[in-house]
Amino acid sequence: MLEPSVVLRGDVERGIVEVVVAGPWTGRVRIDLAAAVRKALAEQPRALLLNLAAIEDADPAVLGAVLLAERRGAAAEPPVPVLVVAAEADRSQLQSTGVALRVPVYGAAAAAHADLDRRSPPLGRVALRLQPTVLGPSAARTFVGDTVLAWDLAPLLRAARLIVSELATNAVEHARTPFTVTASRRGTMLHLAVEDAEPTLPAVIEVTARREAPLEIRGNGLRIVAGTATAWGATRTDAGKVVWATLRTGSLP
């Protein structure tokens, strides 16, 4: 029997966040799933994929969790579509109760991705692959700055350059792997992301703890990002992690 788990996975290229639920359905899993959905929607992804295929034994309570995720996705600004991947027993429940009329249900993630691409082609997205050198953050700033101006988002220029500079600097100093800088337009949001091959998720260090931390892990980078962005966060990917931030395109954060 699998241990119950809820895991977030980011897909930067597709702009999708996947929530993978495995093992028996428990009250703890329900709570963790709700928290994961809230975290995923904060990223303003192109879509949210609930992968329930590894849940053991169909449970009617799964239906409520799916409907809650769909309602929260619809309430996001802009709305985020929710798609579900489920094993046959849960698919049957979702279809027989009418939930599948509100939320598309698939037997495999690949089928969900393909259908999403047919129904909702990706919006504007550009990406640049960089090496972990001292020149990386400067190249990232220039790339994002030029993109923001090309998209007529000049009021966000300073904030976008500042955010990506801090994220790229963290990738160079801590991940020390090649990294990819991505800028995407998602409805009313500008989405910035830096993806690297180090799976350890970053965290803002409290001021008192930061004073006692080794010199190499001190710094205000994420604190600056948190104070500048509309929202920010980090998600593991198949190859490492992605740290992202959003800015509302209608006004400065």
Side-chain angles (χ1 to χ4, degrees), residues 8 34-43 201 233-235 244:
L8 272 172
V37 167
R38 286 194 296 270
K39 182 178 179 181
L41 291 175
E43 189 178 344
L201 298 183
T235 307
W244 57 267

Side-chain angles (χ1 to χ4, degrees), residues 37 41 44 48 67-82:
V37 167
L41 291 175
Q44 289 293 327
L48 173 61
L67 286 175
L68 180 59
E70 188 272 340
R71 187 175 70 181
R72 287 177 171 162
E77 181 56 46
V80 176
V82 175

Side-chain angles (χ1 to χ4, degrees), residues 25-211:
W25 181 264
T26 66
R28 181 74 256 174
V29 167
R30 178 182 59 81
I31 293 170
D32 289 347
L33 174 57
V37 167
R38 286 194 296 270
K39 182 178 179 181
L41 291 175
E43 189 178 344
Q44 289 293 327
R46 176 171 159 241
L48 173 61
L49 178 62
L50 298 183
N51 193 331
L52 313 178
I55 290 180
E56 296 177 353
D57 300 325
D59 190 310
V62 173
L63 306 179
V66 170
L67 286 175
L68 180 59
E70 188 272 340
R71 187 175 70 181
R72 287 177 171 162
E77 181 56 46
V80 176
V82 175
L83 298 82
V84 173
V85 174
E88 184 176 356
D90 283 320
R91 286 205 311 277
S92 296
Q93 282 195 356
L94 291 166
Q95 291 162 353
S96 64
T97 57
V99 174
L101 297 176
R102 295 174 57 91
V103 184
V105 180
Y106 307 88
H113 292 159
D115 192 38
L116 178 66
D117 288 342
R118 283 194 296 270
R119 295 189 294 110
S120 175
L123 298 177
R125 175 187 177 275
V126 292
L128 178 67
R129 185 72 167 170
L130 293 168
Q131 297 299 314
T133 69
V134 293
L135 298 178
S138 175
R141 283 194 302 273
T142 299
F143 169 69
V144 166
D146 290 348
T147 298
V148 167
L149 293 177
W151 286 345
D152 293 325
L153 299 175
L156 299 181
L157 178 62
R158 180 180 177 278
R161 281 171 53 90
L162 178 60
I163 287 170
V164 81
S165 179
E166 297 298 339
L167 297 184
T169 297
N170 280 352
V172 170
E173 294 183 351
H174 301 298
R176 301 175 183 174
T177 72
F179 61 97
T180 301
V181 179
T182 304
S184 308
R185 296 192 69 171
R186 299 180 185 173
T188 60
M189 307 300 289
L190 172 67
H191 186 277
L192 305 170
V194 171
E195 183 179 10
D196 59 53
E198 166 54 54
T200 304
L201 298 183
V204 175
I205 302 175
E206 295 300 327
V207 174
T208 53
R210 189 157 44 87
R211 290 174 183 156

Side-chain angles (χ1 to χ4, degrees), residues 219-239:
N220 291 314
L222 289 181
R223 199 177 301 277
I224 291 172
V225 171
T228 305
T230 303
W232 80 277
T235 307
R236 286 190 175 88
T237 66
D238 290 339

